[in-house]
Amino acid sequence: MGGTLYRGNEGMWSWVLHRITGVAIFFFLLVHVLDGALTLVSPDVYTRVIETYKNPIMGIGELGLVAAICYHAFNGLRIIIVDFVPGATRIQRGLFWGVIALCVLVMIPFAIVHLSNVFSH
């Protein structure tokens, strides 16, 4: 009875973050489909809903969405490598930090361009 199954290492955090980002992406897609369906109800209603999205808070939310997609995609590739490359489980820790590094490298230029667009209006 001593200890816990999860020790807070990279494997646990990659698993947790993969699930969180997957759920976040799912809910974004659900909202995206629903607000797109508003065009069937009334193009005017659709236009008014889309206009409410054009504010800095939503711009920051978009940045979070892109970060979630970036992490989820790169971590998915890490999972494929771990599953199909013999011996890759021994380098899981390095692969996790590689995913984090790739996400940071992708997100920095995106964040600069995106946030400059969001706050320039």
Side-chain angles (χ1 to χ4, degrees):
M1 292 252 147
T4 177
L5 180 62
Y6 298 108
R7 302 197 192 291
N9 61 15
E10 290 83 356
M12 182 198 77
W13 288 113
S14 69
W15 183 90
V16 168
L17 287 173
H18 200 73
R19 275 31 178 209
I20 291 170
T21 57
V23 169
I25 294 165
F26 169 78
F27 281 114
F28 163 77
L29 290 173
L30 180 65
V31 169
H32 182 64
V33 168
L34 292 175
D35 67 19
L38 287 174
T39 59
L40 299 173
V41 175
S42 166
D44 185 50
V45 172
Y46 172 77
T47 303
R48 281 186 278 150
V49 168
I50 294 303
E51 285 299 316
T52 65
Y53 293 161
K54 294 179 180 177
N55 63 62
I57 292 171
M58 291 303 288
I60 292 169
E62 289 171 342
L63 182 65
L65 174 65
V66 173
I69 292 169
C70 181
Y71 174 80
H72 198 79
F74 287 140
N75 194 56
L77 294 174
R78 182 195 69 81
I79 291 168
I80 291 170
I81 291 169
V82 169
D83 285 349
F84 293 108
V85 174
T89 55
R90 291 185 303 242
I91 59 168
Q92 246 190 108
R93 178 173 286 169
L95 290 173
F96 171 76
W97 289 110
V99 165
I100 299 299
L102 280 171
C103 286
V104 169
L105 287 173
V106 168
M107 288 305 299
I108 287 174
F110 174 78
I112 291 168
V113 171
H114 179 68
L115 292 176
S116 68
N117 288 333
V118 166
F119 292 110
S120 68
H121 292 100

